[in-house]
Amino acid sequence: MILFIRKGVCMKEKVILSIDLKSFFASCECAYRGLDPFTTPLIVADTSRGKGAMSLAVTPYLRNFGIKSRSRLYEIPNNIKIMYVPPRMKLYENYSNKVIDIYKEFISEEDIHIYSIDEVFIDATEYLKFYNKTDIELAKMIMKTIKDKTGITSTCGIGPNIFLAKVAMDTEAKHNKDFISKWTYDDIEKKLWNISPLSEIWGFGKKTEKKLNDLKIFKVKDINNYKREFYIKRFGNVLGNDIWCKANGIDFTTIKELNQRSKNKSISMSQILYRDYNVEEALLIIKEMNDMLNSKLRKMNKTTSNIFLGIDYSKDFYKKFHDSISLKVDEDDKNTIYEALEYLYNKNVEDLPIRKVSIAYSNLKKKTHTQLSLFDSFKEENNEFENIIDEINKKYGQTSILRASSLLKNSTIKNRKNFKDII
């Protein structure tokens, strides 16, 4: 295994493929009809909803005219003859399953992580010798098979870790003639550092971008104007570390970690919202649900080391995401866990109406001690405070003491019938 030292950090150099199916919904519709998405002006949208409806996908042909996915129909030019087709999720799921089966023809299932309906991460490190191919040759072989068997074109980023492979795919592969881009650690300063705006980077949402812009940070390179400790103090352990690590191409996550499903007991909670919530409003719901689930965790005298967040968008968009993060220590502190949830949210969320929120704690263990660091000197006092609130709520009702934000009209915590708890 090749090791790479950067900023005093020793990293294993793997061969990760990040593969995305190009304009997936629109490509599925073209493939089903025997059409070429690079020459066909097709848009997936429910036109029965009127001109205010949003397109779910457009073909690469239309992208060349500056038409973007998720445009309102009234924003689309009238001087182009366009084929509108209604969304068919079952069709897209069938094509997705066919492509996943193709991945499994080449790669063991344990080395594949299905990130979304149209995107995967593959750890190809041990397969190059087996196939006697370079990483680019292996990627081309897989992509050609997808094209031959399904008619769908894919793009691929290749990198020494998951983050760099994903960024290579998102920012460069789609512009290359063969739809492949390979980044190494040597490309961090040449390519990664020059990316702007920051929200182009996987995991940097508009909210994080705004906070960094306020610090006069506009390119990834600018992040290195401050030390890691600065970001930890300003943004918290999870997000602070992540910002600094991303700026330096550091990512220790493995495919096996992404795929691991803990056999230990877990607790979870989900809530179907009574209306569409925007990106800012949904954060309040996540905070309230975390308060409730954290109270349950402390009643069980347990800690958690794995945090899960799932978001389902409005059914009109056929989209959702779920992601998880492993904490460095076993944890029961409400604020620390919320910090992890907020990180997962900002990393993945899109500016779409949100209809369902799910959170979960797993890898539960009996609490035997409290882990402190230089940055959480008041953690034990906070836990004592939370225990007092738990006792009051137990005696006088579960909503006797709430956050002041629970008085906002967007709050749902007083209407607990909307929640589904699973233990």
Side-chain angles (χ1 to χ4, degrees), residues 217-229:
I217 295 172
F218 298 97
K219 285 187 175 183
V220 175
K221 179 181 180 180
D222 300 337
I223 293 173
N224 286 285
N225 292 342
Y226 301 91
K227 294 183 179 180
R228 183 205 294 249
E229 290 73 22

Side-chain angles (χ1 to χ4, degrees), residues 298-354:
R298 283 181 279 107
K299 286 177 184 176
M300 297 168 64
N301 196 33
K302 299 279 189 178
T303 60
T304 177
S305 61
N306 191 273
I307 308 301
F308 166 91
L309 174 68
I311 295 292
D312 287 38
Y313 299 105
S314 171
K315 64 181 181 179
D316 294 334
F317 294 92
Y318 302 92
K319 290 202 71 173
K320 60 184 177 181
F321 79 79
H322 62 266
D323 199 358
S324 62
I325 186 171
S326 295
L327 304 178
K328 293 182 178 180
V329 297
D330 298 329
E331 191 62 76
D332 71 340
D333 180 68
K334 177 174 69 177
N335 295 326
T336 302
I337 294 174
Y338 174 71
E339 182 184 311
L341 287 166
E342 187 177 28
Y343 162 73
L344 292 172
Y345 184 72
N346 290 328
K347 172 185 172 185
N348 292 284
V349 73
E350 297 183 51
D351 189 15
L352 297 173
I354 294 169

Side-chain angles (χ1 to χ4, degrees), residues 291-292 294-301 334 382-402:
D291 288 349
M292 297 173 68
N294 185 260
S295 175
K296 186 173 295 185
L297 182 74
R298 283 181 279 107
K299 286 177 184 176
M300 297 168 64
N301 196 33
K334 177 174 69 177
N382 287 341
N383 282 349
E384 287 298 320
F385 178 72
E386 295 298 335
N387 288 334
I388 293 172
I389 292 178
D390 288 343
E391 287 300 317
I392 295 173
N393 282 337
K394 180 180 179 181
K395 185 173 182 179
Y396 296 104
Q398 289 301 313
T399 58
S400 298
I401 297 181
L402 298 172

